[in-house]
Amino acid sequence: MKIAVAKEIEVGERRVALVPDVVARLVKQGVEVWVEAGAGDRAFFSDAAYEAAGAKIVSDPGYLWWEADVLLKVGVPQEREDGRSEVEMLREGAVLISFLNPLGEPAIAKRLAERRISAFSMEMIPRTTRAQSMDALSSQASIAGYKAVLIGAAALPKYFPMLTTAAGTIAPAKVFIIGAGVAGLQAIATARRLGAVVEAFDIRPAVKEEVQSLGAKFVEVQIEEETVAAGGYAKEVSETAKQRTQEAIAEHVKLSDVVITTAQVPGRKAPILVTEEMVAQMKPGSVVVDLAAEQGGNCACTEPGKDVQRNGVTIIGTIDLPSSVPIHASQLYAKNLLSLVQLMINKEDKSLQLNFEDDIIDAACITHAGEIRNSRVKEALATLVGIGNG
Ligand code: NAD
C-alpha cells in the first residue's frame, strides 16, 4: 500500500498532513510513504527530515496523486493554477482522507463520487471515546481557542493579569467566552493562565461544570427549548431563543475587555450573538475575537480575515488559526490521521481494507464506489441543487 502526502496549495494553509515522526511509524509497519517535495516547508518539516524517516520525496504532484492508494491532505481539494482540479488528479478507487467540508461545500462530494473515490472526511469522525485519537476537529479547535486568546491579549491596550506595582494596582482584564465547546474551553484555560477574570456562556447547559472547573463563571440563560442535537452538538435554536440569549449576554459583553466567540452549529451559518448595538456599548479599546468568522461570524460587525474598528472597539474576524501554529497543528493532525489509517491496514498482508462494519469507517466515509454514503451530505447537496434551480 502506498500512502501519499500532498503539498497544500491553498493560500494561507501552512499545515501538512503527516510529520516525519508519523511517517517513520508507518514505514516501520511496512507501508510505503510518498511525500510531495516541499509539503512540510511551511510547517518547518524539511524534505530531508521526511527522507530520513523513510519517505520517498516526489517532485511531480501529478505522479504523486495518481499513484497514491491513500492520499492524505489537510484542506479541501482545490483547483490548481494549471486549471487541473485536485479531485481529477486521483486515480479511480483511491482513498482520500482530509478535511472536506462536505456540509458546507457538498458539490465536492458529488465530484468525488463521480470519480469513484473513497473519500473520508475528518469532520465526520464521530465524537465518541473510541474515535477520540482521530478527532481532528478537536485537535485543531483547541489550537484555535488558544491562539484566539493570544490575539485578543495582543490587541488589547491593557494587561491581562492583576498586578500590584509601586506605580499602582492594575485590575485584571475581563474576558467573556461565548460557546464553550473544544475551542471555547481551551480559550477559557488560556485566558485564566494569563490572569484574566473569565466568564463563559454556552447554549448547552451541560458545559456549566466544565466551565466552572476551569475557574470561569458560567453565565446562565433560561431557554425553554431543547438546545442539544445528536452527537452532543448544539441545535439551531428558534429566533425567540436567540433573542433571549442576546438580551441575557448583552450586559456581560458590555463589561468585558475581550469577547471571544466560538459558537457554531454544524452545517449551518454561525448564530449572531453579539449585535451592532452590543458592540456600540463596549468600552473603547475592547476587543472581539470571532472564531466563527469563516461561518459568517457570531458578531454582526465581523468581516472574515479582517480587523474592523467600531467606536474604538476592534473586531477581529480570525481565519486559519490552526494554520498559524503549523508545527503542533500538523503534529496533532498527523496523529489523528495515523489512528484512522491504522483502521484501514490489514494486519496480515498490510493491504488496504475498508471495513464498513466499523462505525468510525462507516461514519467518516462520505463517498465510496460511485455513491454519496452520508445522508446529511446528500441533503446538503439536494439543497444546493434546489437553490441552483430556483
Ligand atoms: P462546535 O464547534 O460545533 O460549537 C462550539 C460551541 O458553540 C458548542 O459548545 C456549542 O454548544 C456552542 N453554541 C452553538 N450555538 C450556540 C448559541 N446560539 N449560543 C451559545 N453557544 C452556542 O462544538 P465542538 O467544540 O465541536 O463540540 C461539539 C460537541 O462535541 C460538544 O458536546 C463536545 O463536548 C463534544 N465533543 C465530544 C468529544 C468526545 O466525546 N470524543 C470530543 C470533542 C467534542
Side-chain angles (χ1 to χ4, degrees):
M1 168 161 79
K2 201 177 295 156
I3 294 185
V5 177
K7 180 175 174 163
E8 302 297 319
I9 56 168
E10 194 180 357
V11 179
E13 181 56 80
R14 296 174 60 191
R15 292 168 292 176
V16 57
L18 289 188
V19 298
D21 279 357
V22 172
V23 168
R25 287 173 66 168
L26 284 164
V27 169
K28 207 169 158 195
Q29 283 175 38
V31 176
E32 196 177 336
V33 182
W34 288 15
V35 176
E36 187 175 336
D41 281 356
R42 281 180 289 176
F44 306 98
F45 299 108
S46 66
D47 287 352
Y50 285 106
E51 238 168 355
K56 172 175 160 175
I57 305 296
V58 178
S59 306
D60 176 2
Y63 181 53
L64 175 119
W65 279 74
W66 191 257
E67 287 294 318
D69 296 313
V70 178
L71 193 291
L72 303 180
K73 251 185 98 11
V74 180
V76 179
Q78 304 284 309
E79 304 295 325
R80 299 180 73 94
E81 268 179 9
D82 60 9
R84 270 187 308 175
S85 141
E86 288 185 326
V87 172
E88 317 303 329
M89 288 163 65
L90 283 163
R91 209 178 55 225
E92 277 200 5
V95 170
L96 169 69
I97 311 179
S98 183
F99 280 117
L100 295 170
N101 190 19
L103 299 180
E105 299 173 57
I108 197 114
K110 184 167 174 276
R111 292 182 79 184
L112 287 162
E114 283 163 3
R115 296 275 302 121
R116 302 183 76 80
I117 305 301
S118 300
F120 288 77
S121 160
M122 293 307 281
E123 293 92 338
M124 293 294 173
I125 296 279
R127 303 313 264 286
T128 56
T129 307
R130 190 169 81 93
Q132 246 172 3
S133 62
M134 305 160 209
D135 186 352
L137 280 181
S138 288
S139 69
Q140 307 300 300
S142 186
I143 293 178
Y146 159 82
K147 197 66 193 274
V149 173
L150 300 189
I151 289 171
L156 185 71
K158 285 183 170 184
Y159 267 126
F160 254 40
M162 191 186 102
L163 290 175
T164 310
T165 79
T169 302
I170 303 284
K174 289 197 175 103
V175 175
F176 184 32
I177 316 271
I178 303 177
V182 180
L185 291 172
Q186 185 58 258
I188 294 172
T190 307
R192 290 282 301 137
R193 276 184 218 122
L194 285 176
V197 171
V198 184
E199 291 183 324
F201 163 69
D202 198 291
I203 199 122
R204 294 178 298 118
V207 296
K208 178 179 174 179
E209 276 179 27
E210 282 175 275
V211 165
Q212 288 173 337
S213 72
L214 290 168
K217 185 175 161 232
F218 188 69
V219 172
E220 312 239 12
V221 180
Q222 294 303 326
I223 294 172
E224 313 291 332
E225 62 188 70
E226 185 52 72
T227 57
V228 186
Y233 287 103
K235 254 189 174 167
E236 185 165 38
V237 291
S238 66
E239 283 308 315
T240 320
K242 275 186 203 158
Q243 210 174 334
R244 177 83 203 82
T245 306
Q246 288 177 358
E247 285 162 12
I249 65 173
E251 194 60 19
H252 299 270
V253 171
K254 180 178 161 187
L255 297 176
S256 299
D257 296 300
V258 176
V259 175
I260 294 176
T261 66
T262 79
Q264 309 223 21
V265 178
R268 298 263 185 277
K269 199 172 166 294
I272 296 284
L273 299 168
V274 179
T275 60
E276 302 220 9
E277 295 73 44
M278 286 187 212
V279 173
Q281 295 279 309
M282 291 176 79
K283 290 173 292 221
S286 307
V287 180
V288 177
V289 183
D290 194 343
L291 273 184
E294 279 170 278
Q295 279 70 40
N298 291 141
C299 175
C301 308
T302 296
E303 289 184 34
K306 293 200 176 137
D307 293 1
V308 175
Q309 298 290 332
R310 289 286 162 90
N311 316 313
V313 178
T314 307
I315 301 104
I316 304 175
T318 57
I319 52 170
D320 293 334
L321 281 194
S323 197
S324 72
V325 188
I327 294 181
H328 282 151
S330 303
Q331 185 181 315
L332 296 172
Y333 184 67
K335 281 279 179 61
N336 295 143
L337 289 181
L338 175 67
S339 299
L340 179 59
V341 166
Q342 305 282 23
L343 294 183
M344 303 179 183
I345 302 176
N346 181 313
K347 299 280 171 294
E348 264 96 64
D349 63 6
K350 310 293 176 203
S351 64
L352 181 69
Q353 192 176 49
L354 301 181
N355 172 13
F356 290 103
E357 275 164 29
D358 183 307
D359 64 317
I360 299 173
I361 297 287
D362 183 45
C365 184
I366 58 162
T367 64
H368 178 68
E371 301 288 337
I372 297 180
R373 300 181 71 252
N374 182 293
S375 56
R376 285 162 70 209
V377 178
K378 277 187 196 163
E379 273 167 36
L381 189 62
T383 311
L384 189 74
V385 172
I387 292 168
N389 292 338

